[in-house]
Structures are given as C-alpha cells and as structure tokens.
Amino acid sequence: MDKLQIDGGRRLEGTIAIAGAKNAALPQIAASLLSPHALTLTNLPQVGDVANMLSVVGRHGVAVNVAGPHTATLNAGPANHVEAPYDLVRKMRATVLVLGPLVARFGRARVSLPGGCAIGARPIDLHMKVLAQLGASVAVESGYIVAEALSGLAGARIVLASPSVGATQTAMMAATYATGETEIVNAAGEPEVADLAACLAAMGANIEGAGTHRIAVQGPTNWRAARHHTIPDRIEAGTYAMAAAITRGHLELTGARLEHLGALAQMLETVGARMWPTDRGLMVACDGRVAAADISTEPYPGFPTDLQAQYMALMAVADGACAIRETIFENRFMHVPELVRMGADISLRGSTALVRGRTKLVGAPVMATDLRASVCLVLAGLAAEGQTTVSRVYHLDRGYEDLARKLVRCGAAIRRVPE
Ligand code: UD1
C-alpha cells in the first residue's frame, strides 16, 4: 500500500491529458458479454476498476486481448460462465452490470451482491426490478442475485422509480435481447448512458433517446463486431479544474468537453474562476481566492455527486460560507473529518455540510476512504501550508490514471512512497 506526500502551496500551471471515462468504460466492458462477436474498446483509462472489470468478464469466459495501455479487444464468443463470484465482485459495485447481459444472453446469471465504495447503502433493487419487468425471475439466495429467463426476455414499458445510472444501463443492455420494444421512462440522462448506447449501437443494437429521460430499445439484435472510443472522463476533468481553482493556477485539460461539465463551469464562474473551451479541450484559470457559493448535487445535468467532495475542498478555502447538499447518496461526507484535520471549518447537518471558508488549510496526515473523498484530500493538500500525507492510495488508483505524475508535471510537489 502506498501513500502520497504532498508539499502544498504551489500554483499549478500546464497541460493535463484527460483519460477515457472510467464510468463509461465499466458498462461497455460488461456489454461485451452480450455479443458473440468481438468488441474493441479504445480510450480505456488505465485504472484499477477497469482492470478489475476486465478480470470479471475474463472469468465469464470472454477472451480479453489487451493491445496497448488504452485498448482492449473483448471476444465473448466463447463465454459461457454465468456466475460472478464474491472475490471479484466485492471489490467493485459496478460488477453488478454483468447481471443484465448474462441473463439476457445465457438465460441465467448468478452474481454476488456487490461491495464497492462505502458511500451509503447503495441497493441494487432497481437493477433486479428492471430485469423482472423484462420477464426474468430474480431472487437473492445466499448472498447471490440469481436471475433466470430460460425462455427469453420480452420488451416492456419500464418506469424507473428514480433515474439510476446503473439500472438504466442494466435495462438498456438486457433489452437488446428482448423481443419487441422496450421503453425506459425516467431513465438517467448521464453522458455515460449515452456513450453505452453508442457502443451498443456500434455492436448492432437499435436504441433511441439515450441521454434523455426516455429511451427506446428495439430487440432482438443482429450482433456484429464493433469498435468504440470511450468518451473523456468528465469527473477527472472536473477534479483537475478544481485543482486549478484551489491553487489559483491555469490548467489546460486536453480532451475534456465543456458540454459534459456545464454545471461545474457555471459554479466556477460564480465563485470567481473561469472555464472556457479551447481547440484541444478546456482551459481553467483562477487568479485569486474564490468566493463561497452553495451547491446541491443532482442527476445530470446538475452538479455531479462525484465532484461534491472536490468542491468541498475548494470551499474550505473560499471567502465566505456555504451549504453543500448531497441528494444522491446518503453517506457521502466521509472526507469531512479528514478536511477538518487539515483546519477546515465544516459542520454536518443531515445531508448538508456547512462550510466556512478559511484563509488557509494546514498539512496533516489524512486517510482516504473512497475514490472521490481521497482526491478531495489531494486537492486540499495542494492548497495547504506544509506537508499532507494521504494514505490508502489504492482508492485513488481505482479511478485516476497517473494522478501524481499529471499533477507533478504542472508544478505540484507530490511523491508516492510505500506506507
Ligand atoms: C454511478 C456512478 C457513480 C455516481 C453515480 C451517480 C458508475 C460505475 N458509477 O453509480 O460514480 O456517483 O452513478 O451519478 O457509473 N439506487 C437504488 N437502487 C438501485 C440502484 C441505485 O436505490 O438499484 C440508488 C442509489 O443508492 C443512489 C441513487 O439510486 O442513492 C443513484 O444511484 P445510481 O445512479 O444507480 O448510481 P450508480 O449507477 O451506482
């Protein structure tokens, strides 16, 4: 296990290349299970979660051919194993995304109940419900979700109780095998859902409306070999945008797309930083101390829950006080006590954090608890006076490719050392 040592107080200036989106790549890797033909994914980020998902589909019998750091060809022609065991699934909640493809293609799936980030109860009831609505029988038996549809799935009108990203993806993938039309109402509109639809369309699926709250899938599918380039990671880009703001620096984020980061761009403008498109991506600049401003996390295109912790680090040194309300996950404030150890003034009231900005934070040893909480501590460390040590860096490795090196190239003082 490694830790990061950060000497704070340096302004960041330079260029950071944004990797492919982890949260788009994971369902696309799961989707490879649907087709008997090969799927080549390019622009895969080199992060722990992607490696884990490749192992999961490998265990199902998918031939995984890694052709360079960001490209893999997945051939599920020989796949036949329908059980996803606990030892792989416990590491990452997103492995539940294999459930839909397995039951759709093979008529049966047995997937261990997932683990993953400790950011709340994170039930998977909606995934199970959408499969049941398509005609599968679904039950939980001894810690496993067991789904069966031996005589196939049938198109249906599915109304999601809440616009879950994962449940929308499960429904979309399973519906590619269902006969007739499936309509998904109150679907999640996140760019990662639209990118999964683009990937499935390249594989032969007939999908309309992904990226809106009503998706129609016409099944069954004539599968074909396909190639898909995963979208850039809007959360990685948003994280570095906040690194620029917290260090009063200037960063160009190549590959990043403004249209995926509208809510953040608006907030940065409100607090006194700027974000604008360039030929290669996005530029972010901040020349002074930011002002405090309230946010509430919302489904896309609202302010993303995956940037809430990073925004809180920025507000910890803002001029004034603000309220940060988390509406997506009920326990996503584990970074708060760690930020307080660094001198932040934050109090919690239910799902709202009240942050009173300080003129400075002070370096301290802190512990990463989940992916976005850990990166928020890195941002705080970049701005703090003195040295910050962030332990349990494996959380960061799950979702950030080359984080320390990317920041060091822009002037940060960060060392990765064994714990
Ligand atoms: C995805 C992202 C995650 C992000 C989240 C919200 C991936 C791999 N992960 O997670 O980084 O924070 O979207 O943007 O893409 N829920 C249920 N029952 C279910 C499913 C979800 O109650 O069956 C609840 C969750 O507990 C949560 C809310 O719905 O409170 C939203 O979750 P969801 O959109 O499903 O998030 P994920 O797809 O898990």
Side-chain angles (χ1 to χ4, degrees), residues 106-398:
F106 301 109
R108 190 176 145 75
R110 194 164 178 270
V111 176
S112 171
L113 285 167
C117 277
I119 59 173
R122 300 190 83 171
I124 41 101
D125 56 316
L126 297 173
H127 294 256
M128 294 168 60
K129 231 176 249 172
V130 300
L131 293 176
Q133 282 175 287
L134 292 169
S137 71
V138 192
V140 175
E141 289 169 15
S142 323
Y144 279 77
I145 312 157
V146 180
E148 269 187 11
L150 294 173
S151 44
L153 298 172
R157 182 167 194 268
I158 296 171
V159 182
L160 287 172
S162 70
S164 154
V165 174
T168 302
Q169 292 168 334
T170 289
M172 233 163 55
M173 290 190 283
T176 61
Y177 268 83
T179 49
E181 182 170 283
T182 296
E183 187 187 7
I184 309 165
V185 181
N186 197 25
E190 269 68 1
E192 293 76 16
V193 172
D195 201 43
L196 174 61
C199 176
L200 291 169
M203 294 165 75
N206 188 343
I207 302 182
E208 276 174 21
T212 74
H213 299 299
R214 185 194 166 276
I215 300 175
V217 184
Q218 201 69 46
T221 303
N222 283 324
W223 298 101
R224 54 175 183 251
R227 196 177 173 87
H228 178 75
H229 192 77
T230 304
I231 52 169
D233 196 317
R234 64 193 168 100
I235 305 302
E236 188 197 22
T239 300
Y240 291 126
M242 273 177 299
I246 206 168
T247 63
R248 303 179 193 182
H250 289 194
L251 289 179
E252 187 175 23
L253 309 174
T254 58
R257 294 190 195 161
L258 186 59
E259 75 263 28
H260 290 167
L261 284 163
L264 177 66
Q266 207 178 337
M267 279 323 294
L268 288 176
E269 185 108 349
T270 306
V271 303
R274 284 167 302 133
M275 182 191 254
W276 68 94
T278 65
D279 292 346
R280 306 193 301 170
L282 284 178
M283 187 76 202
V284 187
C286 184
D287 294 315
R289 186 180 181 197
V290 295
D294 298 348
I295 59 152
S296 185
T297 61
E298 302 288 348
Y300 188 82
F303 195 92
T305 174
D306 285 351
L307 290 175
Q308 176 258 107
Q310 300 89 315
Y311 184 77
M312 196 181 298
L314 180 62
M315 288 300 103
V317 291
D319 186 7
C322 70
I324 297 179
R325 198 159 79 94
E326 173 58 56
T327 71
I328 310 290
F329 293 108
E330 75 275 22
N331 182 27
R332 208 172 196 181
F333 283 136
M334 267 137 16
H335 42 288
V336 169
E338 302 302 301
L339 287 173
V340 168
R341 289 165 59 75
M342 299 178 70
D345 182 352
I346 306 171
S347 48
L348 285 179
R349 279 202 208 127
S351 58
T352 301
L354 300 170
V355 188
R356 284 165 219 88
R358 286 274 168 91
T359 48
K360 62 170 193 187
L361 295 176
V362 186
V366 287
M367 191 149 62
T369 48
D370 71 56
L371 175 56
R372 307 305 172 185
S374 0
V375 87
C376 126
L377 300 175
V378 173
L379 297 190
L382 291 173
E385 216 174 74
Q387 192 171 84
T388 298
T389 314
V390 182
S391 51
R392 298 195 182 170
V393 168
Y394 62 89
H395 285 294
L396 284 170
D397 295 338
R398 287 186 46 199

Side-chain angles (χ1 to χ4, degrees), residues 61-79:
V62 174
V64 177
N65 194 340
V66 175
H70 302 117
T71 302
T73 296
L74 310 176
N75 190 335

